[in-house]
Amino acid sequence: MHITDDHSRTDLIDALTTAEKLLTQLHAAQIRLLATLAASRDADPLDCTEEEITAALRWSPTTTRTRLHTAHTLATR
């Protein structure tokens, strides 16, 4: 992207800052949702929450497991 008369460097940096704030809010929402799902899992051997998340988000099983664990840890601190 080239800086033009229409977009000053300051405007672009402001837009980038706004985008970062929005990404942070989305990430926080994702963590809250994962924490809720992690808390709702029980000892039921037929519980498929982890597998459903893995399939829906196309994450690896390890990524899903790690993110659920991290979200649960953050929510219970």
Side-chain angles (χ1 to χ4, degrees):
M1 174 182 267
H2 297 287
I3 296 176
T4 65
D5 293 335
D6 294 338
H7 299 289
S8 72
R9 185 178 303 276
T10 301
D11 291 339
L12 294 171
I13 291 172
D14 288 346
L16 185 61
T17 302
T18 299
E20 183 65 23
K21 288 177 183 177
L22 291 170
L23 286 170
T24 300
Q25 292 172 356
L26 287 171
H27 191 234
Q30 183 184 57
I31 290 171
R32 285 191 298 273
L33 292 166
L34 285 167
T36 301
L37 286 166
S40 70
R41 293 188 303 170
D42 53 29
D44 181 0
L46 298 178
D47 180 75
C48 296
T49 301
E50 193 172 307
E51 291 80 3
E52 290 177 62
I53 294 168
T54 297
L57 299 179
R58 297 182 181 178
W59 290 345
S60 72
T62 301
T63 297
T64 302
R65 200 171 303 114
T66 300
R67 290 187 184 185
L68 281 167
H69 175 74
T70 301
H72 179 72
T73 301
L74 289 170
T76 57
R77 281 189 169 178

